[in-house]
Amino acid sequence: MGFDATYTGDSSDPIVADVQIGGRRIALSGTPTASGKTFTVRLATVPFPAGGRSEVPVTFRLCKTSACDAVYPGSSKTFAINLDVELGDWTTLQRTASHTGFVAARYDVDDFALAWSVDDFAATADGVAATRGGVFATITDSNGEKSQRRIDPANGNALWAYSLAPASYASAPFYADGLVASMAMDISSGQIPMQVLNAEEGRYRTTVTYASQFSSGGTPTPYGGRIYFQAGYYGNVVYGADPASGGTLWERDTTQGGRGYVMEGQSVAVDDSSVYYFGGGDLVILSRETGVETRRIPNPFFSSFNLSYYGSYSGAPILDGEGRIFTFTDNRGENQPAPLMGWSVNSSQPLWRSANTYVDDPAYHDGRLYAPRANSAVVDVLDASNGALIRTIAMSSGSQNLQSNVVLTEKHMFVATETTTYAIDLSRNGDPVVWSAPYGGELAITPDNVLIVVGRQSIRGFKLF
């Protein structure tokens, strides 16, 4: 990206090219170079730019000094570059099918500010999904009725609402390919309906069915135009489905040969080849195309053997993209402490188990896991290869215990208590907390650079850029 600028005429004074760039998404790539009477200017997007569209003004001029205190008459020219940085959607639990909670963008804490607040409901399912121009949340109103809602990330206004009645339980939504849906149920059945909606207008599109018993489902995981989720009348069943047509591609009961049960709460992880399901006593790997079991790794740390068949697992396997998977060691409810463990697709046993216990959903980036330690106000940074403690990051003095998922960007870590959300500059030691807000809850970052904080009775949006 760049341009050549050619001038006519001569001067006995120096001729120095000066380039002024508006905004913060584009910068000079090196200094302008001269060849005769032509200057070549190279431009590039800054590393990890914030998402969104912008019209970037660029001014070129010729000066007599490097300070440009004298400009040659008629040498100035201004034009605009139309730039569109496409930051990925927040599609499911911890953003993607790998559930890493990482957003490849860099923000400046001076930009952080509360943009809007929505407080007109009694409770909401943990977490949201988001695309450009839309935040999707599962809402419970003051009458107990659940609905799917699209919220404008710029101002918090409701763009549409779709009733999920008569659901008693509902997961956070997934979003992908213009479709949105939650696992919502009110009955015990082998044909529970998952209503798939057109995300733009909130209209019914189709229905995916599955079996379950009054369970609180996990957020479905979209990947490659399909969705994958865990349910089953007695748990331990993984489904692959087509949300556009409503058709079930396959369902796989993983109970046989297993040593544990998960009936509700889990989001499965997915990559190009496989679906990863933590069954408590085993990590089960299935073919993404057929659902056929390709590998089962026993969990020697599993302790919930007293369960007859019921169990929950709040969270999801985390994938590092290099064959390692990270889970908790046991069945667990929301914010129930448990150790973390590392697996490998190439090993017949786990790689490691953490010394400490953790809560909610850790985040992963660049070989490290960032996990809120149980009953504390600290986040431990673990070496993903062996579970060793690399660093402990403490919140401000007097903070409540952490109980949110962790979200990472290129510069910051976001984490929350029930009443406070923190931003930590990962490059700082000592007191790394650089920003806080007096609201807590589950966290997400939208493609519009809005930090979403989902509280018990509110959703708030904080502008990051």
Side-chain angles (χ1 to χ4, degrees):
M1 178 168 52
F3 59 90
D4 291 334
T6 302
Y7 65 90
T8 59
D10 296 290
S11 174
S12 59
D13 294 318
I15 300 175
V16 181
D18 179 76
V19 182
Q20 302 293 319
I21 302 172
R24 289 179 287 164
R25 290 188 173 104
I26 290 179
L28 273 173
S29 178
T31 57
T33 58
S35 177
K37 292 187 176 183
T38 297
F39 283 96
T40 297
V41 177
R42 292 288 175 259
L43 306 172
T45 54
V46 300
F48 305 103
R53 299 183 180 91
S54 57
E55 188 176 88
V56 181
V58 177
T59 298
F60 177 87
R61 57 187 181 173
L62 296 178
C63 309
K64 295 183 179 181
T65 66
S66 59
C68 209
D69 46 17
V71 180
Y72 284 100
S75 70
S76 297
K77 177 69 173 179
T78 297
F79 57 94
I81 296 176
N82 292 312
L83 182 68
D84 189 357
V85 178
E86 296 187 6
L87 201 60
D89 296 329
W90 192 283
T91 65
T92 185
L93 179 78
Q94 287 294 78
R95 192 168 185 253
T96 68
S98 295
H99 307 296
T100 63
F102 173 69
V103 180
R106 191 184 299 271
Y107 298 110
D108 187 334
V109 69
D110 291 337
D111 294 326
F112 296 1
L114 178 64
W116 49 265
S117 179
V118 178
D119 304 282
D120 61 337
F121 52 86
T124 183
D126 284 343
V128 297
T131 189
R132 181 178 287 182
V135 176
F136 305 96
T138 308
I139 301 297
T140 303
D141 66 20
S142 57
N143 297 316
E145 181 174 329
K146 288 179 169 53
S147 64
Q148 203 79 79
R149 186 182 298 189
R150 177 172 180 153
I151 298 169
D152 189 331
N155 52 34
N157 293 338
L159 299 175
W160 54 254
Y162 183 91
S163 174
L164 298 175
S168 298
Y169 308 92
S171 73
F174 83 86
Y175 167 83
D177 305 313
L179 302 175
V180 62
S182 297
M183 294 181 71
M185 66 192 76
D186 190 56
I187 57 175
S188 174
S189 172
Q191 294 290 311
I192 302 288
M194 184 194 305
Q195 300 178 66
V196 180
L197 310 180
N198 173 294
E200 184 66 28
E201 301 172 343
R203 292 183 289 105
Y204 170 80
R205 173 70 177 268
T206 189
T207 299
V208 172
T209 60
Y210 60 96
S212 187
Q213 290 190 68
F214 301 109
S215 298
S216 180
T219 307
T221 302
Y223 193 96
R226 304 290 188 259
I227 57 171
Y228 305 89
F229 55 96
Q230 176 269 318
Y233 198 76
Y234 297 102
N236 276 22
V237 178
V238 181
Y239 291 81
D242 181 352
S245 68
T248 298
L249 304 174
W250 51 260
E251 59 181 274
R252 182 64 55 193
D253 188 339
T254 68
T255 304
Q256 187 173 3
R259 303 186 306 140
Y261 293 84
V262 173
M263 196 166 182
E264 64 177 4
Q266 183 173 169
S267 295
V268 297
V270 187
D271 61 20
D272 281 346
S273 63
S274 302
V275 177
Y276 302 82
Y277 166 65
F278 179 68
D282 312 84
L283 178 69
V284 182
I285 304 175
L286 308 173
S287 164
R288 186 171 73 88
E289 291 298 320
T290 64
V292 170
E293 183 177 316
T294 59
R295 190 165 179 78
R296 181 184 292 260
I297 308 173
N299 174 13
F301 308 120
F302 182 64
S303 63
S304 300
F305 289 108
N306 292 329
L307 295 171
S308 60
Y309 65 86
Y310 184 87
S312 62
Y313 184 87
S314 180
I318 301 169
L319 309 181
D320 74 347
E322 299 179 359
R324 287 191 297 244
I325 308 102
F326 313 103
T327 68
F328 288 93
T329 58
D330 261 298
N331 292 92
R332 57 184 295 273
E334 184 179 5
N335 279 313
Q336 181 178 345
L340 287 167
M341 60 193 300
W343 310 75
S344 170
V345 295
N346 299 314
S347 177
S348 59
Q349 61 184 5
L351 301 176
W352 54 263
R353 174 194 181 276
S354 67
N356 294 316
T357 60
Y358 299 95
V359 294
D360 216 284
D361 296 303
Y364 171 85
H365 179 57
D366 196 22
R368 298 182 175 190
L369 282 167
Y370 298 74
R373 193 190 301 175
N375 305 310
S376 81
V378 304
V379 173
D380 283 346
V381 183
L382 306 180
D383 186 327
S385 67
N386 56 24
L389 181 63
I390 297 173
R391 179 185 179 189
T392 293
I393 302 173
M395 302 306 108
S396 302
S397 176
S399 172
Q400 296 176 325
N401 292 340
L402 297 174
Q403 54 180 54
S404 82
N405 60 318
V406 179
V407 176
L408 299 173
T409 68
E410 273 295 322
K411 186 176 181 180
H412 295 101
M413 175 180 73
F414 296 89
V415 69
T417 69
E418 187 174 356
T419 60
T420 307
T421 298
Y422 298 96
I424 290 88
D425 187 330
L426 293 171
S427 67
R428 290 178 53 167
N429 295 314
D431 183 10
V433 176
V434 292
W435 175 86
S436 66
Y439 313 101
E442 293 297 291
L443 309 175
I445 293 178
T446 78
D448 301 291
N449 310 300
V450 177
L451 172 69
I452 303 298
V453 181
V454 183
R456 292 185 182 276
Q457 296 183 321
S458 67
I459 299 179
R460 290 181 171 88
F462 291 86
K463 179 180 71 71
L464 300 180
F465 182 84

